[in-house]
Amino acid sequence: MYGCAACQHCTTVRQVCSASFPRCLALPSVRKHARSGCQSSRYCSGTHEGLNPARGALTCRTSATEDDALQLDVPDIDNDLESYQGQLGAVFNDAGFPMTFDNTQEALEALQTSCCVTDMSNWDRLHISGRDRLTFLHGQSTFDCARAQPGSAFDTVFVTPQGRCLELARCLVQSQGLLVLVSPGSGVMLAARLAKYILYGDEVSVVDVTSKTKMFSLTGPLSSATLEGLEAAAPGPNCVALMGFQGSPVLVAEGSGLAAPGYTLVVDEQAAGELWRNLTLKGAKPMGEVEWEMARILQGRPAAGKELTEQHIPLEAGLYHAVSLNKGCYMGQETLAKVHKLNAVKQQLQGLVLDGGVQAGTPLLSGSEKAGTVTSVTQLPDGSHIGLGYVRCRANGRQIAVEGLHLTAAGVAATVVSRPYGTWHFPEGQGVEEPAPDAAEDFKDRALAAKVSKEADKAVEAAAKEERLRVMQARLAAWQAEQSAQ
């Protein structure tokens, strides 16, 4: 057994040396060790006098003499997630997550025709526990969380008191708690925000468990068959199931994070490598972060910091499925209810087909008039450009159809197209009445009529007052004339 003298990161001979052999830095486990902050000059105990290319991998040996004497056969890395990903051609970012597997076209095709697997471990995971966990989340986000049952999964939106978007979350309900899946970097902000609203007497605990688990997204029409190949039954719509994999529990939730069919898998870090390997052996094509971003834009899934900002409300982002207006009071509810009742959504998140590349934030123009804003842009393998953007959907006080509109962005032609992720109506069964198409116009008409009526009443009141004054002045003049005659 070898070990790092400073942080005990390495625990077996499968770990490799970075101190004496810079070539080892190309291996994922060494990069992971470097990120752990270890300052020791001894990554592995021993004198590092030899390299053993056992079974095609570079591993440390204590010394040639000692190794020969002990007759050690140092194994290669055989269960490390990054190692398996590296074998499939992964290009990692500085944080150690696969950006791409240099298979962009193949991965995007698998999304439509078979199945792909994406490492989403950089997404944050919060575990909320305690007796009041569901009622607490119920008041802090848009979905009807209090009615959720163990084994269910749902989307909800965290909003400001004014109903503006902060983050879209996927919640997996378990018997003793719920797991909240959010975008990379959002966990710390949300945990701190939720902690502010935990009142005295509330039995609620919020813990960030991102570092303790790994998360994969299995996406595509053959996702269920891939799971069944691992002898796991695929959970039904909006459901969560617990499966066993080589002695480790795996939480499997229906929903891939995109509009395409699929599942989210949360697994213990120790079993993640073998689970990834088995998924790819069953035919799942590896997909990197670059390709997932392309898929996100293709399908119209809003992202935090891009489409989900405090400039927009969930209804504008097409997140009707994650919003309840009948569950009672919650943060931002008044704004959302008023906008819906008056049919006053002013803009909608839509797809864009672009004739060239533009920057996010570029205004969308209809002639010389601003019609919206570009929020995300990507270039597909065939060289074409697509994007997402908020497009104005009201004109002359009424809702208008925006699909097919021809706009420009920085001189580049942009055609508005629908994308499958967004929904523009509340799900059936919620009991939310659809507003009249001209509800906002009727409201304005009634407000104007009330104003005119009020002004008319004021005019009548002023005329009556003037008449009373005239009569009083006439009486005064008559009295004065009578006094002068005497």
Side-chain angles (χ1 to χ4, degrees):
M1 301 290 285
Y2 298 147
C4 170
C7 65
Q8 302 301 316
H9 176 77
C10 316
T11 56
T12 72
V13 293
R14 289 186 302 227
Q15 301 300 330
V16 296
C17 166
S18 63
S20 300
F21 294 95
R23 285 178 293 172
C24 292
L25 290 173
L27 293 174
S29 56
V30 175
R31 289 199 306 275
K32 181 188 296 182
H33 180 74
R35 292 194 303 273
S36 72
C38 173
Q39 301 298 317
S40 172
S41 61
R42 293 197 316 134
Y43 182 36
C44 302
S45 59
T47 58
H48 312 296
E49 293 182 0
L51 284 176
N52 174 27
R55 289 185 287 278
L58 293 176
T59 57
C60 278
R61 298 176 65 175
T62 57
S63 70
T65 304
E66 181 182 0
D67 186 66
D68 291 342
L70 297 176
Q71 296 295 307
L72 293 178
D73 180 17
V74 182
D76 58 354
I77 302 170
D78 61 0
N79 67 347
D80 183 85
L81 174 59
E82 288 188 41
S83 296
Y84 286 135
Q85 292 171 340
Q87 293 169 16
L88 294 173
V91 178
F92 298 92
N93 62 14
D94 291 340
F97 294 102
M99 294 297 293
T100 181
F101 290 85
D102 286 333
N103 64 341
T104 301
Q105 185 63 49
E106 184 181 19
L108 293 178
E109 288 177 357
L111 185 71
Q112 301 297 324
T113 62
S114 56
C115 175
C116 56
V117 58
T118 309
D119 186 354
M120 310 291 284
S121 301
N122 57 332
W123 285 56
D124 292 343
R125 296 172 285 287
L126 301 178
H127 188 262
I128 303 180
S129 59
R131 180 192 62 194
D132 303 317
R133 58 190 180 274
L134 285 173
T135 53
F136 173 72
L137 189 63
H138 186 88
Q140 298 301 316
S141 64
T142 59
F143 191 77
D144 192 356
C145 310
R147 299 175 60 184
Q149 298 297 317
S152 65
F154 59 85
D155 289 342
T156 192
V157 187
F158 290 96
V159 295
T160 69
Q162 295 75 35
R164 304 288 178 166
C165 295
L166 293 174
E167 174 65 301
L168 170 63
R170 183 69 169 169
C171 300
L172 315 183
V173 186
Q174 302 167 275
S175 58
Q176 301 299 319
L178 64 151
L179 200 61
V180 181
L181 315 178
V182 294
S183 303
S186 296
V188 173
M189 176 273 293
L190 283 176
R193 181 181 180 84
L194 292 174
K196 289 170 51 179
Y197 292 98
I198 298 177
L199 303 178
Y200 178 79
D202 286 346
E203 289 189 20
V204 178
S205 175
V206 181
V207 178
D208 190 329
V209 296
T210 306
S211 62
K212 299 179 180 179
T213 57
K214 296 291 185 180
M215 185 169 81
F216 304 147
S217 175
L218 193 62
T219 314
L222 298 185
S223 297
S224 336
T226 303
L227 275 182
E228 291 168 1
L230 298 181
E231 299 183 356
N238 294 317
C239 289
V240 181
L242 193 65
M243 63 171 270
F245 175 76
Q246 296 187 358
S248 295
V250 180
L251 197 61
V252 183
E254 187 271 340
S256 64
L258 299 172
Y263 304 89
T264 298
L265 291 77
V266 182
V267 60
D268 181 85
E269 186 176 23
Q270 299 302 316
E274 280 299 316
L275 179 59
W276 176 276
R277 186 177 74 88
N278 277 267
L279 289 171
T280 55
L281 287 175
K282 295 298 180 182
K285 302 297 182 184
M287 173 181 278
E289 189 172 331
V290 170
E291 290 76 25
W292 195 89
E293 176 68 3
M294 291 181 184
R296 180 189 76 80
I297 296 174
L298 272 168
Q299 300 204 353
R301 201 267 195 198
K306 296 180 179 180
E307 290 77 31
L308 301 177
T309 72
E310 294 189 32
Q311 303 301 315
H312 306 289
I313 64 174
L315 304 185
E316 295 174 335
L319 300 177
Y320 280 73
H321 73 283
V323 175
S324 171
L325 295 183
N326 294 333
K327 69 173 188 171
C329 184
Y330 62 91
M331 187 175 295
Q333 183 265 347
E334 183 178 355
T335 298
L336 300 179
K338 183 177 180 180
V339 169
H340 174 69
K341 182 177 180 180
L342 296 179
N343 197 26
V345 173
K346 296 180 180 179
Q347 52 191 341
Q348 292 178 342
L349 180 63
Q350 296 287 347
L352 301 170
V353 175
L354 301 156
D355 282 357
V358 298
Q359 294 295 318
T362 302
L364 289 164
L365 302 179
S366 177
S368 59
E369 185 178 357
K370 185 175 180 180
T373 306
V374 178
T375 56
S376 295
V377 177
T378 190
Q379 185 175 15
L380 298 177
D382 62 4
S384 62
H385 291 80
I386 60 169
L388 296 176
Y390 281 98
V391 180
R392 191 178 62 201
C393 60
R394 289 184 66 81
N396 300 320
R398 297 181 182 275
Q399 294 287 336
I400 60 171
V402 297
E403 186 176 355
L405 286 180
H406 297 288
L407 308 172
T408 60
V412 175
T415 302
V416 180
V417 296
S418 64
R419 293 302 186 200
Y421 192 91
T423 56
W424 305 107
H425 301 280
F426 287 101
E428 293 184 7
Q430 275 203 19
V432 178
E433 293 184 4
E434 289 295 323
D438 54 356
E441 193 66 23
D442 285 346
F443 177 79
K444 289 182 179 179
D445 290 343
R446 285 185 276 111
L448 180 60
K451 182 179 180 181
V452 170
S453 177
K454 187 175 182 179
E455 290 176 350
D457 291 342
K458 286 183 178 180
V460 171
E461 177 78 21
K465 184 177 181 180
E466 186 177 349
E467 178 63 19
R468 289 195 298 271
L469 180 60
R470 186 190 66 78
V471 171
M472 291 177 62
Q473 288 174 337
R475 289 178 179 176
L476 178 60
W479 181 80
Q480 289 175 339
E482 184 181 345
Q483 292 299 316
S484 297
Q486 295 178 355

